[in-house]
Structure formats: structure tokens, C-alpha cells
């Protein structure tokens, strides 16, 4: 992964290129009127066509690799044209596709107008290289899109998909394919990261991916109040100020644990503080490096808008040992950030205890967690389902029904959100800390997009 990081902006530019004409704006001899060439007006939606290989031996069809039946993939030229000066020819190139693992003949383009980087030529042909340096394996974009959708929707682990591809290949060829499981893991993780960067507009920013501000890659709730975005200038003086309140819900989740299988140094997150998780370095200064029972993370604490169920940017933080207030305070402050709304209605199942000293705890947090909150700007509530386990005094002080301007809010939205992300708990438990954080960031982002 460290070898790939210096190339992240170049990979992103190649993905953006495929969203455009993908090179089809050059003169195409097949799109002319028969006498002269003109610019192409169509392009193939399936840029990686890898079928099954069969060879007739005189009696019956026997399985054969695509390389054995003569398939040659020519990079850098549209329409199947051969390169007049192929730079490199490799006969042992492996392609992992939706229908199995294939061995193909692959020619890189050696023309003076072609990209000299082999990984760029592969990306331009919708093949994701296993490494930017002398790649010998690639994963098709079709498989990455399929894996991305299956993992976000059904929480399918990459291991299950790989075993399926391995079985499909072995049933067809009667030979076990080369093990490319780690390649698939690395490719899907980079693919998630690049897709979020692309959606966040980092490919069109002069500072590129390294200049991504904190929390920018998260999908924001369009229905929540955002001063300067969806509120006019008169909202502060409106007589109906309750219409501009921000409703938040916070809670801890002990299902999303993480075992000690790697370290932050060996496996740092790609989306460190730029999406939903709090910056790992900032969070460590608040909570400390404690570990518990072979776990480096015993769960997470999260913040969501309780009206619409959308996760807040920088609103997810790891728990090192139980549901400690220092973790909850830091995550809540990070989720609120510099939000300048007049009132925040926050629900928490132990708000009756947590809210007592919150305002005295917030100034003690690091500078990056400081907010504009005051005691008058926060209304504490307990979610309605959890409130029945509290004493009668809590019912009078923290029931939503007794708070003016909150409507029929129940505050249990975050529990509904946890039920979705918990389906990925088993696969993320045994991941490295960086891979786990990037995977959960993508799952939270998928949830927000589906909710919106």
C-alpha cells in the first residue's frame, strides 16, 4: 500500500478520464462515412471483455486459457488495432474478472503518443493494476464495481467472492488458479478510496487528494440546517427558531470491534479524518492507547442526525475500553465541529448522566475539537425506547414530549443505523486498523447516499 500512495492522484485522474470520452475523441476509422475518419460518438460500456476459453482437440472441446487459444489484449489502441511498436509483451498476465481468473497475452503500447506508465495503460483499459510498478496482475473494473456493491449492500466479504471466483475457474479449467486474494483485497480497498475522492471532487482540486479537508468526503444531510448553504440570512432572527434546530443522536456500539492483528504504523487508514471517522492521531490524544482482551478497539461511538438517519462527518470514533466519556465527548465535538446553529437537540441513552459535566469537559479537549457550544445551545434528551428503563425523574427532564419545538422525534434513529453496519462486524473485526476504518467509512457513506 505504501508503494501505491504516491500514485493515488494519478490513479484518480485515470478514473476521471474513463468518465469522459475515454480516448474516443480521437479520429475513428469505423465511425466515418466510408471515405474519411471522424471523431467517435459511441463507446463500449463493457471495457473488459473476458469470456471462457475452450479448445477443440479433434474430438471434443477441452478447457484452455485465453492465452492458449490466442487472445491478445492490446493496450493503448481502440477498436482492436495492433500496436506497430509494442513496447513490452508478457505472456503470463493474470486478469481477475467476474467469471474467474484468466491468463492472457497482453501487449503494452510503445507508441510515442502512448502513456509510458504501464499502470496508466491498464487503467485506461478498465483494468486495475495490482501495483503501479511492473504490474503482472490486474482486476477488471467490472469485478471491482460488483464487489463494491455486494459489500456495501449485502456486506459480502472479499474472501467469499474470491472463493467463488476460484471455484468457477477450477470447475472450468480443472486447475487451481494462482492465488490473487491479497491482490483483490488491495484493489477493492484502493477502489473504495478513489471512488470517495472522485465523488468529493478531489480530482478537480489543485491540491489533489493530500489537500482534502477534514470530513469533506462524507456525504452531508441536505435536510439538516447548514448556515450559508440551505438557510437564508433571516434564520437567526426568525420567530420560528425551532425550525432551524439541529437534531443529533449519539450512541456506542460494541459490535464493531477490532482485534489486534496489525498496527496503525503498518496499516494506516487512507481516509484518515477526511470522511466519517475522527482523525486517528487526534483521537489518540484524547483517549489513550489502552487495549482490552486482545482487542485494540472494543467498539465505536457514533453521531447521526436523529431526524433523517444520516451519519455526521467526523462523527465516528473508536472506543479503547468501554463507553468512556472522553471518547464520546471527543466524537460528539468533532461531529458538531464549527456548526453555528442556535440550538442542538441531542439524544443519548445516558444523557441524564453524560450531559451533567459535558460543558466542563469540552474545553479540556485538544484545540481541533473545540466548538462554539454553550449550555444554552444544547437540549439533552433520552431516546423514547430507552427512557422506560430510567427513573421517573429522568422522564420529566429528558422526555422528548416535554421539550418544545421537537415534534414527534423519538431519537432511536441511530439504533436503526447500527443494525445495518453491524452486518459487517465479523469481517471488519479481523482486519488491520486502516483497512477496517476505510471499509466502515465506505459502508457509512453508502448508507448516507441510500438514505438521501
Amino acid at each position: 500500500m505504501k508503494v501505491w500512495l504516491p500514485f493515488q492522484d494519478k490513479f484518480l485522474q485515470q478514473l476521471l478520464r474513463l468518465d469522459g470520452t475515454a480516448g474516443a475523441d480521437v479520429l475513428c476509422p469505423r465511425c466515418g462515412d466510408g471515405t474519411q475518419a471522424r471523431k467517435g460518438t459511441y463507446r463500449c460500456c463493457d471495457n473488459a471483455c473476458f469470456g471462457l476459453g475452450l479448445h477443440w482437440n479433434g474430438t471434443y472441446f477441452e478447457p484452455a486459457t485465453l492465452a492458449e487459444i490466442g487472445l491478445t489484449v492490446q493496450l493503448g489502441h481502440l477498436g482492436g488495432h495492433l500496436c506497430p511498436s509494442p513496447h513490452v509483451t508478457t505472456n503470463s498476465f493474470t486478469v481477475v474478472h467476474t467469471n474467474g481468473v484468466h491468463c492472457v497475452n497482453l501487449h503494452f503500447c510503445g507508441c510515442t503518443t502512448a502513456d509510458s506508465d504501464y499502470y496508466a495503460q491498464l487503467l485506461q483499459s478498465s483494468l486495475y493494476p495490482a501495483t503501479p510498478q511492473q504490474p503482472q496482475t490486474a482486476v477488471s473494473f467490472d469485478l471491482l464495481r460488483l464487489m463494491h456493491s455486494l459489500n456495501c449492500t449485502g456486506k459480502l466479504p472479499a474472501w467469499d467472492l474470491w472463493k467463488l471466483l476460484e471455484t468457477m475457474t477450477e470447475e472450468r479449467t480443472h486447475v487451481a488458479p494462482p492465488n490473487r486474494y491479497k491482490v483483490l483485497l488491495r484493489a477493492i480497498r484502493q477502489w473504495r478510496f478513489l471512488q470517495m475522492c472522485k465523488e468529493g471532487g478531489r480530482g478537480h482540486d489543485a491540491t489533489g487528494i493530500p489537500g482534502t479537508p477534514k470530513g469533506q468526503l462524507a456525504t452531508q444531510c441536505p435536510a439538516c440546517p447548514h448556515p450559508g448553504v440551505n438557510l437564508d440570512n433571516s434564520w437567526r432572527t426568525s420567530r420560528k427558531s425551532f425550525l432551524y434546530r439541529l437534531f443529533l443522536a449519539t450512541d456506542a456500539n460494541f459490535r464493531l470491534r477490532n482485534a489486534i492483528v496489525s498496527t496503525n504504523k503498518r496499516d494506516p487508514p487512507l481516509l484518515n479524518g477526511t470522511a466519517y471517522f475522527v482523525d486517528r492521531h487526534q483521537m489518540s490524544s484524547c483517549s489513550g492507547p489502552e487495549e482490552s482482551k486482545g482487542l485494540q478497539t472494543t467498539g465505536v461511538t457514533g453521531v447521526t442526525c436523529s431526524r433523517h438517519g444520516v451519519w455526521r462527518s467526523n462523527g465516528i470514533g473508536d472506543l479503547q475500553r468501554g463507553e468512556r466519556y472522553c471518547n464520546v465527548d471527543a466524537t460528539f465535538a468533532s461531529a458538531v465541529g464549527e456548526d453555528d446553529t442556535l440550538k442542538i437537540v441531542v439524544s443519548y441513552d445516558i444523557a441524564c448522566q453524560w450531559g451533567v459535566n459535558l460543558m466542563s469537559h469540552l474545553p479540556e479537549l485538544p484545540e481541533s475539537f473545540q466548538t462554539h457550544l454553550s449550555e444554552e445551545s444544547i437540549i439533552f434528551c433520552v431516546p423514547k425506547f430507552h427512557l422506560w428503563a430510567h427513573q421517573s425523574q429522568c422522564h420529566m427532564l429528558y422526555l422528548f414530549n416535554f421539550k418544545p419545538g421537537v415534534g414527534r422525534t423519538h431519537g432511536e434513529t441511530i439504533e436503526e443505523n447500527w443494525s445495518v453496519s453491524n452486518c459487517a462486524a465479523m469481517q471488519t473485526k479481523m482486519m488491520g486498523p486502516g483497512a477496517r476504518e476505510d471499509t466502515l467509512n465506505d459502508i457509512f457513506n453508502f448508507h448516507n447516499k441510500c438514505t438521501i
Side-chain angles (χ1 to χ4, degrees):
M1 192 64 70
K2 292 181 179 179
V3 175
W4 174 81
L5 282 176
F7 298 88
Q8 56 184 348
D9 278 306
K10 295 182 179 179
F11 272 59
L12 180 58
Q13 291 300 326
Q14 294 298 335
L15 295 186
L16 290 172
R17 176 183 179 275
L18 291 178
D19 287 342
T21 60
D25 55 344
V26 299
L27 294 180
C28 176
R30 298 190 178 186
C31 294
D33 57 4
T35 59
Q36 60 180 356
R38 64 180 178 85
K39 288 187 176 182
T41 55
Y42 297 93
R43 73 173 187 180
C44 180
C45 293
D46 187 359
N47 294 311
C49 307
F50 297 95
L52 305 179
L54 293 174
H55 174 256
W56 181 257
N57 61 8
T59 306
Y60 59 90
F61 282 105
E62 61 181 0
T65 65
L66 296 178
E68 291 173 344
I69 64 176
L71 174 67
T72 298
V73 178
Q74 175 63 65
L75 304 182
H77 290 264
L78 299 175
H81 297 286
L82 295 178
C83 179
S85 54
H87 196 270
V88 173
T89 301
T90 174
N91 296 319
S92 58
F93 199 89
T94 303
V95 176
V96 186
H97 191 44
T98 55
N99 58 358
V101 183
H102 305 276
C103 180
V104 301
N105 298 316
L106 189 139
H107 293 181
F108 289 99
C109 180
C111 297
T112 56
T113 57
D115 202 311
S116 60
D117 295 319
Y118 295 156
Y119 72 84
Q121 294 189 28
L122 288 168
L123 289 170
Q124 292 166 10
S125 300
S126 296
L127 295 173
Y128 198 93
T131 173
Q133 299 176 350
Q134 301 297 324
Q136 294 295 314
T137 302
V139 183
S140 70
F141 280 21
D142 288 340
L143 179 60
L144 291 175
R145 294 189 187 101
L146 177 64
M147 176 59 200
H148 193 193
S149 298
L150 288 175
N151 184 252
C152 289
T153 305
K155 311 304 181 286
L156 178 75
W159 173 256
D160 291 352
L161 179 63
W162 169 252
K163 295 304 292 184
L164 172 63
L165 297 173
E166 192 177 51
T167 301
M168 293 171 62
T169 305
E170 194 167 354
E171 287 180 347
R172 185 178 71 250
T173 63
H174 309 300
V175 177
N179 191 337
R180 294 295 186 268
Y181 174 59
K182 291 186 177 180
V183 171
L184 181 61
L185 284 179
R186 194 162 55 244
I188 187 61
R189 182 179 174 188
Q190 295 171 6
W191 178 267
R192 296 176 189 271
F193 171 67
L194 291 172
Q195 291 300 314
M196 291 188 67
C197 290
K198 187 171 72 169
E199 294 172 1
R202 301 315 304 168
H204 305 285
D205 192 283
T207 59
I209 295 177
T212 306
K214 182 177 69 173
Q216 192 197 39
L217 300 184
T219 302
Q220 303 288 348
C221 178
C224 285
H226 298 283
V229 179
N230 58 1
L231 299 180
D232 57 27
N233 297 329
S234 62
W235 70 276
R236 292 184 179 276
T237 58
S238 173
R239 298 178 60 183
K240 297 182 179 180
S241 60
F242 64 90
L243 295 176
Y244 308 107
R245 288 178 177 175
L246 178 63
F247 288 78
L248 299 179
T250 183
D251 189 30
N253 181 357
F254 297 103
R255 292 286 302 277
L256 297 177
R257 298 173 291 177
N258 187 222
I260 304 177
V261 297
S262 185
T263 63
N264 292 322
K265 184 177 181 180
R266 292 182 58 188
D267 183 28
L270 299 176
L271 293 163
N272 189 23
T274 59
Y276 297 92
F277 270 84
V278 181
D279 188 294
R280 187 170 291 271
H281 302 295
Q282 296 176 351
M283 195 66 173
S284 63
S285 64
C286 299
S287 58
E290 297 185 27
E291 299 172 353
S292 175
K293 297 180 181 179
L295 301 173
Q296 60 185 349
T297 299
T298 59
V300 298
T301 176
V303 181
T304 181
C305 64
S306 56
R307 280 286 183 87
H308 318 106
V310 175
W311 292 108
R312 297 279 295 183
S313 61
N314 294 126
I316 304 292
D318 285 330
L319 298 172
Q320 287 73 34
R321 187 182 292 274
E323 196 170 348
R324 299 187 301 182
Y325 286 162
C326 58
N327 297 78
V328 179
D329 295 347
T331 304
F332 176 73
S334 178
V336 174
E338 299 179 357
D339 202 301
D340 199 23
T341 50
L342 295 178
K343 288 281 187 179
I344 295 179
V345 181
V346 55
S347 60
Y348 188 17
D349 52 11
I350 53 173
C352 53
Q353 302 177 30
W354 173 64
V356 174
N357 297 314
L358 175 64
M359 299 313 300
S360 62
H361 291 166
L362 292 181
E364 300 176 0
L365 295 174
E367 183 179 357
S368 58
F369 291 96
Q370 296 302 312
T371 67
H372 302 292
L373 297 178
S374 62
E375 293 186 4
E376 296 76 19
S377 63
I378 302 183
I379 300 175
F380 295 98
C381 295
V382 175
K384 290 184 177 180
F385 181 80
H386 288 78
L387 189 61
W388 297 110
H390 288 241
Q391 300 177 1
S392 58
Q393 183 179 3
C394 293
H395 288 231
M396 294 183 290
L397 297 176
Y398 299 101
L399 179 63
F400 272 101
N401 292 353
F402 294 161
K403 303 293 183 180
V406 301
R408 302 297 294 176
T409 308
H410 55 72
E412 299 287 356
T413 314
I414 193 169
E415 301 291 348
E416 303 170 4
N417 291 1
W418 288 138
S419 67
V420 177
S421 58
N422 283 349
C423 296
M426 293 303 297
Q427 59 180 292
T428 58
K429 179 181 178 180
M430 301 308 297
M431 290 181 178
R436 165 184 172 270
E437 184 172 315
D438 292 337
T439 300
L440 290 176
N441 266 319
D442 190 47
I443 289 176
F444 292 140
N445 194 56
F446 179 80
H447 168 86
N448 279 9
K449 292 191 292 184
C450 291
T451 301
I452 294 173

